[in-house]
Amino acid sequence: MDALRPINTVPRFFAHAIAIEHEAAERYMEFADHMKDRSPDAALLFEQLARDGFDQARELLNRTNGARLPRLKSGAHAWLDKGSPLAAAHEWVFRLLSPRDALKVAMHAEQRAKRFFGHVVETTGDEGVKALAGVFLKEEGEHIARMKRAFLKLPNPVIDWERIYDHGGPVKPHKVTAGKPAVRMAPPKKKAIGKRKP
């Protein structure tokens, strides 16, 4: 991250904050696109997060009052590696992501952003920058809390087959009626093999 040294000017802070919001919004749109057929609820969440991110970036740009912002290193706040040699791998990774995986990636990125703003608060010598970073630090905490709530609502696609068979086998799909617990298949009983009488 291009932010290890203290950020002591408002334009430099805005440059980083706008880059963070743009990167997040672009990734959220990408997640939403890949989740449309797999999880409409997750797609809707990511679309909303993307809209919020783009709105925030626009609002920040308006607040700069046309001031010239410093250029940041390419990919200073990138979530995933990008570039033409990795385009196929990038697409492949996104296809493998479950809704829960995508939210984990997003939460990790939001936590990185939160650490960044916390670092700015602790290291800047400019009170204006400190106040701005404090606001963003709080917002990132709210984003993370929102994602954690969404994460708990998403179904877990991992099937623990070992646990299922330890408890008598899989659920019979046909004996399930509304409001009644599912009937589990018991393992077949072993027949006693004894001596046959002549």
Side-chain angles (χ1 to χ4, degrees):
M1 227 182 259
D2 182 27
L4 296 178
R5 59 194 173 100
I7 294 177
N8 292 318
T9 68
V10 171
R12 186 159 176 257
F13 175 80
F14 275 134
H16 281 281
I18 290 168
I20 287 169
E21 292 296 336
H22 261 295
E23 174 67 17
E26 286 173 8
R27 296 293 74 75
Y28 290 146
M29 284 305 293
E30 201 167 6
F31 285 158
D33 187 50
H34 283 284
M35 294 298 141
K36 277 179 185 169
D37 296 330
R38 302 169 71 185
S39 174
D41 289 343
L44 195 62
L45 170 68
F46 283 121
E47 282 174 8
Q48 184 59 57
L49 289 168
R51 280 196 297 273
D52 292 348
F54 284 127
D55 289 346
Q56 182 80 336
R58 269 193 300 275
E59 184 184 326
L60 285 169
L61 200 54
N62 291 337
R63 287 175 66 181
T64 64
N65 295 320
R68 189 182 179 100
L69 302 181
R71 293 190 90 155
L72 304 181
K73 288 180 186 173
S74 177
H77 296 286
W79 286 17
L80 301 168
D81 290 330
K82 291 183 283 185
S84 52
L86 298 170
H90 179 78
E91 179 68 18
W92 183 74
V93 166
F94 271 80
R95 285 184 185 278
L96 290 177
L97 287 177
S98 72
R100 287 170 69 94
D101 292 332
L103 260 177
K104 282 182 188 175
V105 171
M107 279 193 284
H108 178 71
E110 294 287 347
Q111 285 160 351
R112 277 179 55 207
K114 186 179 177 186
R115 285 194 300 271
F116 167 76
F117 292 121
H119 172 77
V120 173
V121 168
E122 291 170 9
T123 60
T124 187
D126 184 282
E127 289 304 314
V129 170
K130 182 177 278 196
L132 282 169
V135 171
F136 278 81
L137 183 62
K138 184 181 175 189
E139 286 180 0
E140 291 302 330
E142 290 166 0
H143 293 170
I144 293 165
R146 180 182 179 187
M147 287 181 183
K148 283 181 178 174
R149 288 192 300 271
F151 185 81
L152 292 173
K153 291 178 183 177
L154 288 174
N156 188 349
V158 177
I159 299 170
D160 188 349
W161 290 109
E162 197 172 311
R163 186 167 177 258
I164 288 171
Y165 282 101
D166 283 348
H167 289 85
V171 175
K172 280 186 182 179
H174 57 283
K175 294 274 185 178
V176 178
T177 55
K180 292 188 178 179
V183 177
R184 294 193 174 275
M185 288 174 59
K189 292 181 180 177
K190 292 182 180 176
K191 292 183 178 178
I193 302 172
K195 292 182 179 177
R196 297 178 89 181
K197 290 183 180 179

